[in-house]
């Protein structure tokens, strides 16, 4: 399964095409819209989210609610386009009164993108570098999520840190899979603890008042996975690499850990590795999950847990110093309407990226033509793995 996205932040639409979807998969626009709404949410988001109500339109590759094997095109309208149709006109000459963006924001793609492409207006860069594009990714990955859900795999996320406010967790690798999705969804910062959620919101308020922005850390958790997805035989087939690459492709992501991650580097081997045991019903299992569900670049069958760090949004109400690209004089960076904190939204985007990689790992292992064949192959594999553990 592959996807490509097209669309500028203030263009008419965001489009995505997903190819390689197996035949017979039920896909619902309502389900994808739920994820699009989750991506738009979160305390600390900017004015744009009051303009948009992202809704997907599926335009091909389906019949009577199920996939038919051909590429699936999806589209999301940018309601803000009506305010930008002159500045972002796709055709014709530039308006005479066009204001060019010449004061690149430190931390954004503005300057380096303009240098790379020889642009005399940072808008040519920032329109596509904007995280608005992630709405199309969430729509595309909605298909991967439906596929995984049909196979009993659930993907969710929760926020563990915003700025310096940290969720207290005793043994996160064991606790994470047991958080209640409702507690997470009810929190405006996607944090399962009420008190911590309030402290996170207060930190966002403080940042807003100071003209600042805030980053944070979240976890993506996947349950219901089979062991043996991914492969150790070929470097590019290792799931750690594929998942890391997908997560780092999200704007503003600065760090990714699997399981206890960096902490493993300072502990003894006997404390890090997860003892193997057998459960009579489910087969081989682990007594702990420090590996976060991955060994040898493959899933172990334990919950997959990735911890991801996001930097603060680069657009600041109290801007940093920059250099005007025309005059080469020092100036303040441009300020636009922006988010104060987009960590909860980013967690939803990360769920989507992870879902896409895992859906592909299933297709690679169990075939990719039809849901019927895939399910039959999974049944046989489950049986064999169970027999091996008797
Ligand atoms: C975003 C839409 C954008 C920004 C944000 C994410 O809308 P606008 O630029 O019209 O305010 O709010 O973009 C960025 C974080 C960024 O760095 O560009 C969205 O829909 O997620």
């Amino acid at each position: 399964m592959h996807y490509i996205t097209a669309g500028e932040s203030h263009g008419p639409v965001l489009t995505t095409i997903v190819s390689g979807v197996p035949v017979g998969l039920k896909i619902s626009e309502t389900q994808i819209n739920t994820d699009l709404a989750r991506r738009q949410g979160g305390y600390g988001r900017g004015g744009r989210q009051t303009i948009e109500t992202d809704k997907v339109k599926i335009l091909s590759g389906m019949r009577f609610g199920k996939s038919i094997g051909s590429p699936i095109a999806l589209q999301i309208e940018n309601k803000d386009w009506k305010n930008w149709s002159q500045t972002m006109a796709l055709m014709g000459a530039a308006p005479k009164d066009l204001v060019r963006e010449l004061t690149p924001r430190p931390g954004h793609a503005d300057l380096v993108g303009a240098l790379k492409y020889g642009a005399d207006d940072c808008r040519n860069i920032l329109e596509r570098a904007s995280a608005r594009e992630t709405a199309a990714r969430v729509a595309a990955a909605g298909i991967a999520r439906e596929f995984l859900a049909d196979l009993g795999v659930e993907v969710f996320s929760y926020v563990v840190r915003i700025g310096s406010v940290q969720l207290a967790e005793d043994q996160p690798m064991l606790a994470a899979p047991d958080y209640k999705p409702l507690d997470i969804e009810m929190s405006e910062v996607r944090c399962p603890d009420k008190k911590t959620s309030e402290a996170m919101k207060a930190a966002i308020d403080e940042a807003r008042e100071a003209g600042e922005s805030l980053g944070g850390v979240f976890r993506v958790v996947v349950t219901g996975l089979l062991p043996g997805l991914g492969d150790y035989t070929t470097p590019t087939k290792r799931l750690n690499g594929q998942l890391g690459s997908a997560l780092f492709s999200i704007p503003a992501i600065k760090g990714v850990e699997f399981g206890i991650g960096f902490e493993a580097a300072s502990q003894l081997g006997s404390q890090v590795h997860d003892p193997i045991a057998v459960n009579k019903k489910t087969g081989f299992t682990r007594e702990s999950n420090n590996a976060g569900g991955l060994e040898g670049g493959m899933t172990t069958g334990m919950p997959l847990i990735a911890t991801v760090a996001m930097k603060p949004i680069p657009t600041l109400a109290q801007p940093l110093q920059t250099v005007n690209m025309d005059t080469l004089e020092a100036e303040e960076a441009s300020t636009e309407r922006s988010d104060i904190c987009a960590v909860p939204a980013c967690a939803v985007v990360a769920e989507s990226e992870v879902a896409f990689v895992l859906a592909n790992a299933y297709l690679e292992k169990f075939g990719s033509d039809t849901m019927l064949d895939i399910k039959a192959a999974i049944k046989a594999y489950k049986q064999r793995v169970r027999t091996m553990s008797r």
Side-chain angles (χ1 to χ4, degrees):
M1 230 192 300
H2 292 282
Y3 76 82
I4 183 169
T5 71
E8 279 69 46
S9 180
H10 303 97
V13 291
L14 295 168
T15 309
T16 177
I17 296 181
V18 186
S19 59
V21 181
V23 168
L25 177 66
K26 266 195 210 158
I27 299 166
S28 118
E29 286 180 337
T30 314
Q31 190 55 46
I32 297 175
N33 288 339
T34 306
D35 289 330
L36 288 174
R38 290 166 70 234
R39 192 206 72 95
Q40 283 201 272
Y43 197 78
R45 298 226 66 192
R48 178 71 181 271
Q49 305 314 321
T50 58
I51 299 173
E52 307 292 347
T53 318
D54 292 338
K55 295 265 184 264
V56 74
K57 213 190 252 176
I58 297 183
L59 299 166
S60 69
M62 305 268 304
R63 193 157 187 235
F64 310 131
K66 284 188 177 179
S67 57
I68 55 170
S70 40
I72 300 181
L74 306 100
Q75 196 171 287
I76 301 163
E77 189 192 338
N78 282 326
K79 287 193 180 154
D80 207 11
W81 161 247
K82 63 176 186 299
N83 305 316
W84 289 80
S85 55
Q86 308 262 305
T87 311
M88 286 301 295
L90 281 93
M91 297 292 163
K96 288 207 174 69
D97 57 352
L98 181 75
V99 179
R100 288 185 294 146
E101 298 276 352
L102 295 167
T103 48
R105 291 160 294 174
H108 212 281
D110 301 354
L111 175 61
V112 191
L115 293 176
K116 177 178 166 69
Y117 286 110
D120 64 354
D121 184 348
C122 290
R123 185 144 296 281
N124 287 7
I125 312 304
L126 67 92
E127 279 289 327
R128 182 67 183 163
S130 163
R132 174 81 191 140
E133 184 261 350
T134 61
R137 299 194 201 194
V138 169
I143 294 174
R145 295 179 79 120
E146 298 255 29
F147 171 79
L148 292 173
D150 202 13
L151 305 178
V153 177
E154 196 200 345
V155 186
F156 69 94
S157 64
Y158 66 96
V159 170
V160 288
R161 172 183 277 263
I162 283 183
S164 60
V165 182
Q166 173 89 29
L167 170 70
E169 288 176 296
D170 210 9
Q171 287 194 298
M173 292 307 123
L174 293 179
D178 291 332
Y179 283 125
K180 295 197 175 53
L182 194 63
D183 289 342
I184 299 167
E185 299 304 326
M186 292 300 285
S187 160
E188 284 180 279
V189 283
R190 301 191 59 72
C191 175
D193 181 72
K194 272 193 186 147
K195 259 195 174 165
T196 316
S197 293
E198 290 310 312
M200 286 173 171
K201 282 166 63 182
I204 294 169
D205 287 339
E206 243 175 72
R208 183 185 289 107
E209 267 158 43
E212 279 289 356
S213 61
L214 278 179
V217 176
F218 57 84
R219 282 195 237 285
V220 180
V221 183
V222 189
T223 57
L225 290 165
L226 290 171
L229 302 168
D231 205 328
Y232 61 91
T233 59
T234 310
T236 52
K237 286 190 175 180
R238 285 184 175 258
L239 265 191
N240 311 43
Q242 291 181 7
L243 288 163
S245 168
L247 288 165
F248 275 119
S249 79
I250 303 169
I253 295 309
K254 286 291 164 188
V256 175
E257 295 178 286
F258 296 108
I260 59 170
F262 271 53
E263 204 188 312
S266 57
Q267 291 193 13
L268 295 168
S270 59
Q271 295 166 335
V272 169
H273 301 297
D274 304 311
I276 298 172
V278 163
N279 175 308
K280 280 202 179 123
K281 271 194 196 146
T282 53
F284 289 115
T285 183
R286 307 301 161 110
E287 286 176 350
S288 51
N289 188 25
N290 292 336
L294 292 167
E295 274 178 351
M298 298 169 289
T299 52
T300 60
M302 295 292 283
L304 190 139
I305 305 172
T307 305
V308 184
M310 181 190 194
K311 72 178 180 181
I313 298 280
T315 313
L316 301 174
Q318 290 285 330
L320 289 172
Q321 182 195 298
T322 189
V323 171
N324 183 300
M325 288 173 61
D326 254 0
T327 64
L328 302 186
E329 299 290 333
E331 251 182 62
E332 282 189 343
S334 58
T335 54
E336 310 196 14
R337 162 191 73 194
S338 183
D339 305 305
I340 307 301
C341 174
V343 175
C346 190
V348 176
V349 178
E351 288 175 17
S352 301
E353 287 290 346
V354 165
F356 218 89
V357 170
L358 292 173
N360 270 312
Y362 269 90
L363 295 173
E364 170 100 13
K365 177 142 181 58
F366 298 108
S368 53
D369 285 348
T370 79
M371 291 308 290
L372 266 178
D373 292 350
I374 293 166
K375 284 183 179 172
I378 288 177
K379 197 172 167 198
Y381 179 70
K382 273 187 177 166
Q383 176 68 27
R384 178 168 73 70
V385 171
R386 217 176 285 134
T387 315
M388 279 176 73
S389 50
R390 285 235 171 91

